Amino acid sequence: MLKLRINKPFDLENTITCGQIFRFKKNNDDSYTVILSDRVINVFMDKEYLCVTSNNEEDLENVIINYFDLNNDYDKIIDELVKNDKKISNAAMFSKGLKFIKQEPFETLIEYIISANNGVNNIGNSLNLIAQKYGKKVIFENKEYYLFPNAKDLKDVSLEDFRNCKVGFRDKYLKEVIYKINNNEFNLDLLYELDDNEALKVLMEINGIGPKVASCILLFAYQKYKVFPVDTWVKKIMKSDYNIEGEENIRSYAKKTYGNYSGIAIQYLFNYSRNNKE
DNA sequence: TGCCAGGCCTTCC
DNA sequence: GGAAGGCATGGC
């Protein structure tokens, strides 16, 4: 078992359950089983130690540090944010220890296309069905798990096949984007090179990807922290706490106030707004 | 039953 | 270019 001493704030539960990832399970012993791109892990906190087991122990420490972004100094980021906006400190303290999980780009792309007008339960269910049918099986603790397939694995999946995975009307979006990737009409690696606005533009040329989905992909898979989604929860808290209404006004305020860390600030506000109900 | 879920596309002015 | 309606599915 890998034991990592954590000396900065780290909220494992909030990080896993706050809606950035969908393929995880909470176990009876309060540990979490999470399916990463290349392995399955079981994680829990034991005092100041993060404890991890996996079906694949190779380079596990680096994989975990990278996945949970453990070396990034969020305290410093929060200090910066609070310096420019005292009012965000409640939301930042509420989300203290929340890390941005570094997700695999292709899976993230599919995840957030499916997320449009959908519930968290349905999203996870569909992703698991896709993985079960087309992903690689791995055994961990005597149970079967399925890694998420890549674009090649999904090359011949039909609209009807996707419908059977309960993705509903998003079937055609998935088929189209997978076709484009396999025929070199769209390259996920290119997004690393582009600046934020170009990357957003390229993503939004794909059917099924609008500003919200594109922002989530760039934030969660590419660590483009300047990019941020504005949804109903963000609108709600910006109105009540900042007296700012309208998406454009929210965008210009966030850019001006939070700068390079707008995505992180907005995620804190989102998390606070959504989970701190009265 | 009806509404909503971290939207987006198409159609119609 | 902006508003309105439609869209699969499941949870409440």
Side-chain angles (χ1 to χ4, degrees):
Chain A
M1 177 183 295
L2 171 69
K3 293 184 92 171
L4 280 173
R5 191 189 173 87
I6 306 294
N7 46 25
K8 288 171 188 151
F10 178 41
D11 184 341
L12 178 68
E13 174 163 15
N14 203 0
T15 296
I16 290 175
T17 63
C18 75
Q20 0 177 21
I21 59 170
F22 303 94
R23 301 189 67 213
F24 65 86
K25 183 173 167 288
K26 185 171 188 173
N27 301 304
N28 291 333
D29 60 3
D30 282 347
S31 71
Y32 288 89
T33 302
V34 186
I35 304 175
L36 278 58
S37 60
D38 69 337
R39 67 191 77 195
V40 181
I41 61 170
N42 177 272
V43 280
F44 61 93
M45 292 301 295
D46 180 11
K47 300 196 176 70
E48 71 271 35
Y49 289 95
L50 175 65
C51 305
V52 190
T53 55
S54 174
N55 67 304
N56 176 1
E57 302 269 343
E58 189 188 340
D59 203 24
L60 188 58
E61 181 167 343
N62 284 326
V63 168
I64 294 302
I65 289 172
N66 183 59
Y67 184 70
F68 288 114
D69 200 21
L70 295 177
N71 281 344
N72 199 354
D73 191 349
Y74 286 84
D75 279 350
K76 201 172 143 193
I77 295 172
I78 290 176
D79 285 348
E80 282 289 311
L81 293 175
V82 172
K83 201 161 68 183
N84 293 322
D85 174 16
K86 300 256 181 310
K87 271 189 283 188
I88 202 174
S89 61
N90 284 342
M93 286 309 107
F94 184 79
S95 301
K96 199 175 178 63
L98 178 72
K99 305 283 192 178
F100 278 62
I101 289 179
K102 287 189 186 169
Q103 301 189 55
E104 198 281 320
F106 177 72
E107 181 173 355
T108 311
L109 173 83
I110 303 300
E111 270 180 355
Y112 282 93
I113 289 176
I114 292 174
S115 81
N117 197 32
N118 209 347
V120 171
N121 267 340
N122 282 351
I123 299 165
N125 186 34
S126 289
L127 292 167
N128 284 328
L129 286 170
I130 291 171
Q132 272 169 37
K133 288 188 185 172
Y134 310 107
K136 184 184 166 198
K137 177 163 81 175
V138 299
I139 305 289
F140 178 49
E141 292 175 338
N142 297 318
K143 283 188 198 152
E144 293 181 0
Y145 296 90
Y146 294 85
L147 303 181
F148 199 77
N150 61 33
K152 275 206 180 66
D153 297 327
L154 298 175
K155 184 167 68 72
D156 298 318
V157 180
S158 67
L159 290 177
E160 191 188 353
D161 294 331
F162 278 126
R163 277 294 165 100
N164 290 333
C165 296
K166 310 296 179 190
V167 302
F169 61 88
R170 309 162 193 86
D171 55 356
K172 51 193 177 294
Y173 305 146
L174 299 180
K175 192 165 164 49
E176 267 180 53
V177 74
I178 287 161
Y179 177 88
K180 284 184 177 174
I181 291 171
N182 282 318
N183 289 278
N184 298 316
E185 293 172 25
F186 174 58
N187 182 359
L188 279 166
D189 291 332
L190 186 65
L191 297 176
Y192 287 109
E193 322 288 331
L194 300 178
D195 72 38
D196 297 342
N197 287 332
E198 286 171 337
L200 283 169
K201 183 164 169 281
V202 167
L203 277 170
M204 284 164 56
E205 280 167 7
I206 295 165
N207 246 339
I209 300 183
K212 164 71 184 22
V213 170
S215 301
C216 287
I217 293 168
L218 293 177
L219 187 57
F220 294 130
Y222 293 87
Q223 291 75 52
K224 290 186 184 287
Y225 294 136
K226 274 191 281 185
V227 178
F228 56 93
V230 175
D231 74 340
T232 52
W233 294 107
V234 174
K235 285 177 183 163
K236 194 174 155 192
I237 194 169
M238 288 307 286
K239 185 180 176 187
S240 63
D241 289 23
Y242 294 83
N243 198 24
I244 296 174
E245 289 189 68
E247 176 156 351
E248 283 320 302
N249 291 329
I250 292 172
R251 290 204 161 274
S252 68
Y253 175 81
K255 276 182 198 166
K256 186 181 62 178
T257 312
Y258 309 127
N260 289 339
Y261 299 125
S262 295
I264 294 176
I266 294 293
Q267 183 66 18
Y268 290 158
L269 291 168
F270 162 80
N271 193 41
Y272 189 56
S273 174
R274 181 169 169 242
N275 295 317
N276 191 33
K277 300 165 194 156
E278 286 24 61

